Amino acid sequence: MNFSDVFKQSNQLCKVSPDGKYLATCVQYRLVVRDVSTLQILQLYTCLDQVSHMEWSSDSLFILCAMYKRGLVQVWSLEQPDWHCKIDEGSIGLVSSRWSPDGRHILNTTEFHLRITVWSLCTKAVSYIKYPKACQKGIDFSRDGSYMALAERRDCKDYVSVFVCDDWHLLRHFETETQDLAGLEWSPNGCVLAVWDSCLEYKVLLYSLDGRLQSIYSAYEWSLGVKSVTWSPSSQFLAIGSYDEKVRILNHITWTKFTQFDHPSTINSTKAVVYKEVEKRPAAGSEDLSIHNITIGTTLFNTQSKYDICSLPVQIPVVKPDPDRANPKIGVSTLAFSSDSRYLATKNDNMASVVWVWDMQKMSLVAVLQQISAVRCFQWDPRRPRLALCTGNAKLYLWSPPGCVSVPVPSEGGFQVQSLSWHCSGDSLILLGKEQLCFCYMDTDQENK
Amino acid sequence: MPESSLVKDIHGTSAECRTSPLREFYQSSLQLHRSSNMFSCFCTEHNVQECASHISQELLSLGLTPVWTELSCRSELNVTAVINCMYDLIQLHRRSIRTLENLEVEHHKLSSNVAFLQLTSTRQTEQLEVCKRENAGLVEKERQLQLKVKSLQNAVRNEKEEVHKLQSIIASRASQYNHEMKKKEKEFNKLKEHLHQLLVGKKEKKQAIDVLNNIGRADGKRSLWKTEKTEAKHEGEMYRTLLSDYDARQRELEVENAEMRKVLQQMKKDMMSVLSSTKLTVTNDKQADDGVQADSGEEEEVLDSSKESVELHCVHAREKLTNSIRLQWRRLKNHVERLDSQASLAQVDESKTLAVPRETHEEEMNRLKLEIQQCKDFIQTQQQLLQQQLSSPCDEETGSLLSDRYMSQETERLREEWRTLEEQRKIFERERRNFTEAAIRLSHERKAFEEDRATWLKHQFLNSSPFADSKKPQMSKSKSAFLISETEASGTMDPEELVKCPSDTTSPAHGCFPLTSPSTAITSRTVPYPRKKLEQTEDKDY
């Protein structure tokens, strides 16, 4: 495993192009484009203000930089560095900005979600979409980029509009049976739209592409409901994580629950392996405290750690959330399927330092990773069943079915890994700290990890 | 006669009170006396005196005055004394009768009391029984009521818990509502501010886009007008996507279905074969009957299986398959149960039929044990031989011969290699010497050449211009610097080459250490982190 040097970035804006060749990072008001393999700077662009959001177009030719405070969006071209494009939203403000799947339209959501403006870079034409809903996930593009689903709210009722991304033609517009729609997501095959209600009511509705309601799923009433929803890449499963610390899996044929994963605080009998991160104390002999070692500093501050396998029963530390506060830190907030739909990784918010890995073929727990500090981010390798996670310290943790490893990230100033993302080839990882980023190259012949 | 008058008197008194049965008995005895004339039997004219003395003795014993004293010789009784005696006796008799009567009355009273008490006691035992039964009933009722109380308490506790839960749910919902309300209020306020600003007339910036030039569409095609045709096309596309998805799903399900059916058929065949093989071994009449039925059933099913593959989509065929599987499974289950019961019976009986297999079993075991022993002995002898081979302190000559035999080949080979390496080294030395000589010669020649060139140039400059005189020493210096570096380079090159050839060690590649694979699949490892230096110059700023 190789680690590159540490580079600067701001706002956690660091994205690899969809074709995997370039890496774009924002440093204050500058946009830096590097080559992924050599990390050489290829292009340097200067924006008018500090960049709040940055996104690659789907063909990897353009980069969008949005500055929400100023209400500006600047688009840069990789092929022609001289080409420029600036969209000024004026006094209507800007809250979010994104590309359309064809890479030629930009959708800007104005302040207060008054409307969505669709700017075309081909024709400089503008279209407007009224009454978009301000919710957790109100807009989603299907994976093949042909349809866009938008949540709307008119007259205290929720609607979903399906647009054809080719020419923004409104294909379907239907009312949903939700009290307060919180999010929607297309299935990876683009044929089913999952719509879920806010946490006050547990309700997940499944609509087919042409707007017919296929099924409604509600596990229970009254208690706080759905916290997170995710599709499996094969579109066979819909995983719903809720505030009752359980994950329910629906199957795509009958849309009924066929299994449920619990997150108990005591693990008693399971065939899963429980990994516990344990800090290896550095040998503190008198010779270690020489000036030489102190100036280097790495051995003192970056304690190494390793994984121990715990024997059952295992007690997991639980943090009870404050019952009076809204959005309590309890329930399954993060779900991720591996790319082959074989594994599901979950995190329960009141056991924030534990990641649970479930096997979908056997419908059982496969591994439990108990870290020292709270897990901040985890992501599956896009090619193989390998999970990378970070907990805000200077280490990178990897899990795959044979085993689990903890890798310290080399850096001089103490690089705290806040989030990570895989390169689309699965050969490298981008680690983001607060103001820094680091590239990590995996060995391609690590088959026995 | 005074006696008869007394008797009359007694009769008279007896006639007065005729109540007690004893009295009657006495009367009857008196009558008997009268009839039998007992007095005459006791006292006759001959034994008057004896009788008299006897009577006086008896009277004495009774405590009365005697009537006959032996002292007096007169044979005549004292009549007054006799009469007194008789009167005393009569009084005594009367008294005793009275006491007898009293006793009788007492006895009667007591017996009636006893009867009464017995009656009351039976009544009371009955009452006690009844009370006991009632008590048992009440105890039972109390127990049931206690159970009910407990269950009600549980229910109350559950209800309380549910109430708590609902309260907490309500509390969380309320906090969520409040939070959302606050958020909405904040947004509303912001909106109001914004509106206010707009109304005040702040300069409104318009929306605008500023593009250098239009870029082409991603797919290179021209965009189409929005017409009904395009709308229809979009609808068509959408339905096509849906249909293809449904098709794919249906195909998957069909494939799955076919596999399941295959598995079921396989299971059915297996079960049938198992049942038929067991049918051959069993000779019971009842089972033969079943077997006959199974036969006929199997024939039907054999016929059916050929048809099934054709009619798989028909509901009836499906039902037939599942029913036949159920039937076979039931038969198999019954068979297994029968076998189980037979086995258990046989175990209880300890019949001979089990002893035979047990014997063969034991024979097998013994054979295997013998084999194991043989193998172990073999291994031991091998080990011993190996030990002898390795250590061999006694047989040194043969050992050394042997070792020589093994080692001589190696030594020969190594000697040859050493010879070739020596030769190579000599060659290299020679060549090196040649190279150095050549280099020295070359340098000399070059020097001479440069000097010639310098002189020629000098001539040229001297001939052409009056200025050039300072450049030459610089050029020569630089050229000599170049020469020195060359010789240095050439000098340092060769020993490196020489050093590299015989050694086989490779220097570790800088940069990447690959992650060492863990010895066991699961244990963790930390990685030493070497640095791979990439472009650094511009990166420091960013």
Side-chain angles (χ1 to χ4, degrees):
Chain A
M1 216 182 273
N2 266 343
F3 287 90
S4 72
D5 264 351
V6 167
F7 307 115
K8 278 216 197 104
Q9 51 92 3
S10 63
N11 243 351
Q12 318 270 310
L13 290 169
C14 173
K15 297 205 173 108
V16 177
S17 63
D19 59 2
K21 289 195 211 147
Y22 309 108
L23 172 72
T25 43
C26 284
V27 185
Q28 298 297 334
Y29 53 91
R30 279 213 188 88
L31 174 69
V32 182
V33 180
R34 294 170 198 273
D35 182 76
V36 154
S37 39
T38 63
L39 288 180
Q40 283 226 22
I41 294 188
L42 295 174
Q43 302 276 12
L44 192 59
Y45 305 100
T46 310
C47 299
L48 294 167
D49 196 6
Q50 180 157 23
V51 178
S52 332
H53 176 71
M54 185 261 293
E55 199 176 323
W56 281 93
S57 67
S58 53
D59 51 4
S60 306
L61 293 175
F62 297 96
I63 303 177
L64 171 162
C65 293
M67 293 143 263
Y68 294 150
K69 271 193 230 145
R70 290 271 299 262
L72 288 171
V73 175
Q74 280 185 285
V75 185
W76 305 103
S77 159
L78 223 57
E79 289 176 322
Q80 303 174 15
D82 306 326
W83 187 89
H84 66 268
C85 169
K86 185 176 80 161
I87 299 174
D88 189 351
E89 286 290 338
S91 45
I92 206 163
L94 185 62
V95 152
S96 99
S97 176
R98 69 189 78 217
W99 282 105
S100 71
D102 63 355
R104 295 292 178 271
H105 293 85
I106 292 179
L107 287 87
N108 285 343
T109 312
T110 64
E111 211 171 354
F112 311 115
H113 283 79
L114 286 175
R115 63 169 187 235
I116 292 183
T117 323
V118 182
W119 299 92
S120 163
L121 294 178
C122 310
T123 63
K124 285 201 245 177
V126 183
S127 4
Y128 299 106
I129 303 176
K130 283 209 306 191
Y131 309 116
K133 182 156 188 198
C135 54
Q136 186 190 6
K137 189 170 180 200
I139 190 170
D140 192 34
F141 293 101
S142 62
R143 204 156 285 197
D144 57 358
S146 26
Y147 301 105
M148 174 180 93
L150 177 69
E152 295 177 12
R153 188 146 178 119
R154 291 166 210 244
D155 305 326
C156 308
K157 281 192 237 164
D158 288 317
Y159 296 86
V160 168
S161 297
V162 179
F163 292 91
V164 179
C165 291
D166 257 354
D167 54 0
W168 305 107
H169 158 64
L170 176 66
L171 191 66
R172 285 285 187 277
H173 179 80
F174 49 90
E175 187 182 341
T176 62
E177 293 175 24
T178 50
Q179 290 282 351
D180 184 12
L181 200 156
L184 42 79
E185 188 164 330
W186 287 104
S187 68
N189 63 5
C191 296
V192 183
L193 183 67
V195 169
W196 60 94
D197 213 334
S198 73
C199 59
L200 290 169
E201 183 154 347
Y202 193 127
K203 207 186 228 179
V204 177
L205 299 107
L206 292 136
Y207 290 93
S208 75
L209 177 56
D210 57 343
R212 283 176 299 124
L213 175 65
Q214 291 200 327
S215 172
I216 304 182
Y217 177 71
S218 173
Y220 52 79
E221 281 190 301
W222 307 125
S223 294
L224 292 180
V226 173
K227 196 159 188 185
S228 59
V229 172
T230 188
W231 285 95
S232 78
S234 59
S235 307
Q236 280 176 316
F237 309 121
L238 180 65
I240 305 173
S242 45
Y243 280 89
D244 66 344
E245 308 181 52
K246 296 197 177 94
V247 176
R248 293 174 176 84
I249 313 271
L250 308 185
N251 73 83
H252 71 308
I253 301 181
T254 59
W255 301 117
T256 53
K257 172 187 99 168
F258 74 92
T259 188
Q260 168 177 308
F261 295 141
D262 292 343
H263 299 82
S265 57
T266 314
I267 304 177
N268 269 322
S269 60
T270 173
K271 292 196 192 128
V273 186
V274 180
Y275 297 97
K276 189 171 167 147
E277 188 194 359
V278 157
E279 267 189 4
K280 282 199 294 202
R281 289 181 182 280
S286 57
E287 65 271 14
D288 280 351
L289 293 174
S290 63
I291 303 289
H292 177 68
N293 280 342
I294 288 174
T295 47
I296 287 189
T298 47
T299 48
L300 275 181
F301 295 120
N302 293 354
T303 52
Q304 305 236 325
S305 73
K306 64 181 178 77
Y307 279 107
D308 267 346
I309 295 185
C310 294
S311 56
L312 302 173
V314 173
Q315 198 71 26
I316 296 193
V318 175
V319 175
K320 274 204 92 135
D322 187 359
D324 292 331
R325 297 196 60 178
N327 297 324
K329 279 206 178 325
I330 186 172
V332 179
S333 63
T334 332
L335 299 163
F337 275 98
S338 65
S339 53
D340 53 0
S341 302
R342 173 87 192 264
Y343 298 102
L344 172 67
T346 63
K347 183 180 106 154
N348 188 0
D349 275 348
N350 54 344
M351 303 162 186
S353 57
V354 179
V355 172
W356 309 65
V357 184
W358 310 84
D359 184 334
M360 294 308 293
Q361 280 184 4
K362 296 182 203 147
M363 305 292 179
S364 64
L365 189 58
V366 148
V368 176
L369 285 85
Q370 194 172 339
Q371 311 290 127
I372 293 175
S373 24
V375 173
R376 293 192 65 114
C377 177
F378 58 83
Q379 206 181 65
W380 287 98
D381 183 329
R383 291 285 171 87
R384 49 189 84 82
R386 182 163 58 174
L387 182 69
L389 55 126
C390 63
T391 64
N393 54 12
K395 291 190 201 72
L396 168 68
Y397 304 94
L398 291 161
W399 175 89
S400 57
C404 202
V405 81
S406 140
V407 182
V409 176
S411 66
E412 285 144 2
F415 176 62
Q416 312 282 339
V417 183
Q418 310 272 12
S419 76
L420 47 81
S421 65
W422 284 92
H423 186 268
C424 50
S425 66
D427 289 333
S428 51
L429 259 178
I430 307 169
L431 307 171
L432 295 173
K434 223 171 93 153
E435 303 257 314
Q436 296 157 319
L437 85 100
C438 174
F439 233 79
C440 168
Y441 300 92
M442 304 281 166
D443 270 348
T444 45
D445 54 338
Q446 279 177 2
E447 280 315 307
N448 53 351
K449 275 210 50 65
Chain B
M1 297 219 16
E3 291 166 4
S4 59
S5 66
L6 269 170
V7 169
K8 263 191 220 159
D9 216 19
I10 290 167
H11 193 72
T13 54
S14 72
E16 282 169 16
C17 30
R18 273 181 188 251
T19 50
S20 70
L22 220 59
R23 197 26 110 76
E24 286 170 8
F25 170 65
Y26 183 68
Q27 278 181 353
S28 59
S29 64
L30 266 181
Q31 281 167 6
L32 235 148
H33 276 185
R34 248 186 279 130
S35 59
S36 60
N37 236 352
M38 286 280 292
F39 297 117
S40 57
C41 298
F42 178 60
C43 182
T44 56
E45 285 114 15
H46 308 291
N47 60 350
V48 170
Q49 286 190 2
E50 284 104 8
C51 290
S53 67
H54 181 76
I55 283 175
S56 75
Q57 273 176 10
E58 291 216 354
L59 286 171
L60 260 174
S61 72
L62 283 173
L64 298 166
T65 54
V67 295
W68 174 264
T69 50
E70 285 196 16
L71 291 174
S72 67
C73 318
R74 285 187 294 167
S75 57
E76 280 182 9
L77 291 170
N78 195 355
V79 179
T80 49
V82 169
I83 289 170
N84 285 337
C85 264
M86 282 175 83
Y87 182 72
D88 288 335
L89 282 173
I90 287 166
Q91 289 299 326
L92 230 96
H93 181 71
R94 276 215 186 117
R95 234 182 282 143
S96 64
I97 283 176
R98 237 181 280 134
T99 50
L100 200 64
E101 275 179 13
N102 289 342
L103 283 174
E104 268 176 31
V105 164
E106 286 287 324
H107 182 259
H108 192 69
K109 256 196 246 170
L110 286 174
S111 66
S112 68
N113 274 355
V114 161
F116 177 70
L117 284 171
Q118 270 180 353
L119 201 64
T120 49
S121 83
T122 49
R123 224 181 291 141
Q124 279 186 349
T125 46
E126 274 169 33
Q127 264 185 0
L128 186 67
E129 281 296 307
V130 164
C131 284
K132 269 191 190 157
R133 246 177 278 136
E134 268 178 35
N135 192 31
L138 285 171
V139 159
E140 181 63 34
K141 260 194 207 160
E142 195 190 324
R143 191 182 65 84
Q144 279 178 353
L145 285 173
Q146 288 263 20
L147 280 174
K148 215 171 167 188
V149 159
K150 246 185 235 159
S151 66
L152 283 173
Q153 274 176 348
N154 276 345
V156 161
R157 211 181 319 130
N158 287 344
E159 289 298 314
K160 275 199 187 141
E161 275 175 13
E162 232 190 276
V163 161
H164 280 305
K165 208 173 68 159
L166 285 171
Q167 276 177 344
S168 68
I169 286 172
I170 289 173
S172 64
R173 285 176 80 90
S175 61
Q176 199 75 27
Y177 276 126
N178 288 338
H179 177 81
E180 303 259 322
M181 195 66 119
K182 280 194 193 121
K183 243 179 29 181
K184 288 221 154 59
E185 195 167 333
K186 274 186 204 147
E187 187 146 343
F188 186 58
N189 286 335
K190 269 203 300 189
L191 203 58
K192 275 204 287 198
E193 273 288 321
H194 200 80
L195 188 62
H196 187 74
Q197 278 177 7
L198 286 175
L199 286 175
V200 160
K202 202 170 167 193
K203 192 177 79 166
E204 184 176 331
K205 289 183 274 172
K206 291 270 178 184
Q207 282 179 312
I209 181 167
D210 166 30
V211 187
L212 185 65
N213 52 337
N214 287 354
I215 48 180
R217 276 167 60 99
D219 49 3
K221 288 193 227 147
R222 279 175 52 193
S223 56
L224 303 163
W225 292 104
K226 270 196 200 173
T227 56
E228 277 177 10
K229 223 171 74 172
T230 54
E231 287 181 18
K233 202 177 76 168
H234 288 311
E235 290 270 325
E237 279 290 327
M238 181 187 79
Y239 283 120
R240 228 170 288 149
T241 331
L242 277 176
L243 277 173
S244 59
D245 178 61
Y246 281 132
D247 264 337
R249 217 193 290 173
Q250 199 194 354
R251 247 176 280 132
E252 273 177 25
L253 288 172
E254 265 180 32
V255 162
E256 224 184 289
N257 234 3
E259 276 183 29
M260 294 287 188
R261 251 188 236 118
K262 250 189 264 164
V263 166
L264 280 175
Q265 294 221 351
Q266 187 66 38
M267 270 174 61
K268 199 179 80 169
K269 274 192 215 128
D270 287 342
M271 282 198 272
M272 272 165 45
S273 64
V274 162
L275 283 172
S276 61
S277 64
T278 54
K279 193 182 50 145
L280 290 169
T281 57
V282 166
T283 55
N284 223 346
D285 279 340
K286 192 178 100 176
Q287 283 157 7
D289 284 344
D290 278 359
V292 164
Q293 281 175 18
D295 250 341
S296 55
E298 273 169 43
E299 278 175 18
E300 283 176 17
E301 279 146 21
V302 161
L303 284 172
D304 281 346
S305 62
S306 59
K307 283 188 205 158
E308 268 168 37
S309 50
V310 175
E311 297 174 4
L312 276 174
H313 305 289
C314 176
V315 178
H316 302 298
R318 245 185 294 140
E319 278 181 10
K320 244 191 245 174
L321 175 62
T322 46
N323 287 338
S324 64
I325 287 213
R326 278 205 202 101
L327 189 69
Q328 295 295 331
W329 180 247
R330 224 180 297 135
R331 281 200 201 127
L332 192 66
K333 210 171 67 162
N334 291 338
H335 182 73
V336 166
E337 280 168 4
R338 234 181 284 134
L339 281 177
D340 268 343
S341 58
Q342 274 181 11
S344 59
L345 282 172
Q347 274 179 11
V348 168
D349 289 348
E350 286 187 14
S351 60
K352 272 188 193 169
T353 50
L354 273 184
V356 169
R358 198 185 290 158
E359 277 170 13
T360 51
H361 194 62
E362 281 178 4
E363 269 178 57
E364 279 272 340
M365 292 269 290
N366 292 336
R367 198 169 51 78
L368 288 167
K369 277 185 194 153
L370 204 66
E371 248 188 77
I372 288 170
Q373 194 59 37
Q374 282 174 358
C375 291
K376 275 191 189 155
D377 294 336
F378 189 59
I379 289 168
Q380 269 201 342
T381 48
Q382 289 269 359
Q383 259 186 340
Q384 280 171 7
L385 286 170
L386 196 66
Q387 285 271 344
Q388 279 174 12
Q389 277 260 330
L390 288 174
S391 51
S392 69
C394 47
D395 220 349
E396 271 192 19
E397 291 170 359
T398 48
S400 61
L401 272 175
L402 283 169
S403 61
D404 274 348
R405 186 161 58 80
Y406 292 137
M407 299 302 280
S408 62
Q409 278 184 3
E410 287 274 327
T411 47
E412 274 291 318
R413 200 164 49 79
L414 284 169
R415 244 181 255 136
E416 284 224 16
E417 274 187 17
W418 189 254
R419 239 178 286 131
T420 48
L421 284 168
E422 279 288 324
E423 281 173 32
Q424 278 181 354
R425 196 169 65 81
K426 278 184 202 138
I427 291 167
F428 283 136
E429 281 277 329
R430 228 180 300 137
E431 281 185 13
R432 183 189 173 193
R433 245 179 283 127
N434 289 344
F435 279 136
T436 45
E437 281 172 23
I440 291 165
R441 241 182 297 131
L442 192 65
S443 63
H444 284 314
E445 280 178 20
R446 196 173 269 153
K447 219 193 277 176
F449 173 69
E450 290 294 330
E451 276 172 15
D452 279 342
R453 191 169 161 220
T455 46
W456 184 80
L457 279 170
K458 200 168 70 179
H459 283 310
Q460 280 281 323
F461 278 126
L462 282 174
N463 291 346
S464 58
S465 71
F467 301 109
D469 52 323
S470 59
K471 291 216 174 153
K472 289 164 271 176
Q474 277 187 3
M475 274 199 304
S476 56
K477 248 196 233 166
S478 62
K479 281 173 196 122
S480 59
F482 173 65
L483 279 173
I484 290 166
S485 61
E486 259 200 16
T487 51
E488 272 183 7
S490 61
T492 50
M493 232 180 30
D494 301 335
E496 271 189 18
E497 282 174 24
L498 280 176
V499 161
K500 269 200 180 165
C501 294
S503 72
D504 284 338
T505 56
T506 53
S507 53
H510 350 259
C512 6
F513 280 121
L515 266 179
T516 55
S517 58
S519 52
T520 59
I522 299 173
T523 53
S524 62
R525 212 55 74 93
T526 55
V527 180
Y529 42 89
R531 313 264 267 169
K532 183 176 183 183
K533 293 283 179 191
L534 296 165
E535 261 299 319
Q536 273 187 333
T537 48
E538 288 160 82
D539 301 350
K540 292 284 197 249
D541 295 332
Y542 307 110

